[in-house]
Amino acid sequence: MSRTSLAASLAAPVTSIGSAWAADFPALKAHGRGSYLDSAATALKPTVVTDAVVRFYREETAPVHRGSYRAAERVTETFEAARQTIAAFIGASTHEVAFFSSCTDAINQVAAGLELGKDDEVVLSVLEHNSNLAPWLERVRVRCVGVGADGRIDPAQLDAAIGPRTKLVTCTAVSNVTGNVQPIAEICAVARRRGVPTLIDAAQAVGHTVVDVRAIGCDFLAFSGHKVFGPSGVGVLYGREESFERLRPLRVGGGAITRIDGERIFYRAGHQRLESGTPNIEGVIGLSAAIEYLVNNDFPAMVRHQRELEAYAWQRLSSIDALHWPFPRAQERIPIFSFSSKRSNVDLSMIAALLADNYGIAVRIGQHCCHPLFAASDTYGAIRASFHIYNSAVDVDRLADALSELAMLF
């Protein structure tokens, strides 16, 4: 399916909010009659992903990029085919994708690889996860822009924050606290006009929305495998070919070097110079299986399903008077809901424990690695319920009914 027809199909009406994909996720059985609502932390895995990983261990184990025997050559072919599958899903070319151990690791590669000075500046938003904040605080001056009443970063405000020492603009594509989708294409356009490169944290976007690096216009984009139904231990960094060449490798060693001549190291070109050591072969193969699962099982319908779930969940949850919603709600969102109590003395961890123990509902409690956002909102913490394609209206009703029963505690 072309990216044009994909975008068109997303506009088609949705007729059901029952999940057509739940049966593909065996881990749901572990929750019995409960609900797994912590997908913003990590997504469950479909059977095709676990099968791909097990098949590698049982039948295909061999090194990549090194062996001259047939088994190693086959694994190398599979590994590079996986790179092609993953790259195509985000609209990138194969040589524009490098693998890391996580999204955090990929962001750290950019932070370290740009070799910025203490007086250089990075512009980012108050929405950033600590993984896209701490690497910059360790190295440079940070200028932080807020969000408007619509829950989105204002590109004009970001433009005003760019100064002569700004070396990068970075922001999240989708907030892991609010679920609000950010105007990343507009943000990248602003930075490009100012001659500043961009990095997008797409950890919460890939698998929930259409991500096309060409349409976004970013220089770098990072996401994690485990949030898009793949195994843990795999992160993806997209970079324009010229952008990769600018980066000094964060880790050096075998696989990324053509030769060492005396004290001089000669690195391989492009993404290859960033991939030292033996990669997480099975993780990359599993992530490719996850991407193929999305493509082969009507990804546009999955996106529409999540939109409908989000709308229905907001209808149910917003009607519970005891809940407090500390963050503004954008027009375009994924199904993530962070709420607290209208009373300041309520122990939210107790509420989360009751949801788990009495109702079998798995949610997250805390500040969700977004301390500046909570500080700016004068909020000490929140319960977060996050949904994915394997959830349905049943899960929404289960959560809303449980919270209604617990309303006296709020």
Side-chain angles (χ1 to χ4, degrees), residues 62-66 79-80 83 99-101 105 109 249-257 267-268 271-282 284:
V64 295
H65 303 144
R66 290 170 175 81
F79 186 85
E80 290 305 323
R83 190 192 304 272
F99 296 121
F100 294 86
S101 65
D105 193 35
Q109 167 61 78
L250 175 61
R251 297 180 179 84
V252 296
I257 297 170
Y267 291 101
R268 301 179 75 182
H271 69 275
Q272 295 174 315
R273 64 202 302 271
L274 305 177
E275 295 183 343
S276 292
T278 301
N280 183 353
I281 304 169
E282 59 273 39
V284 170

Side-chain angles (χ1 to χ4, degrees), residues 119-125 141-146 153-171 184 186-199 219:
D119 292 328
D120 290 328
E121 294 179 347
V122 168
V123 174
L124 46 73
S125 82
R141 300 175 186 269
V142 168
R143 288 194 176 189
C144 185
V145 300
I153 304 164
D154 181 357
Q157 184 182 0
L158 186 140
D159 190 11
I162 297 174
R165 298 291 300 178
T166 302
K167 302 301 182 184
L168 184 80
V169 169
T170 182
C171 68
I184 52 176
E186 297 172 52
I187 289 168
C188 290
V190 166
R192 190 164 53 251
R193 286 196 299 269
R194 301 292 297 272
V196 179
T198 49
L199 164 65
D219 293 277

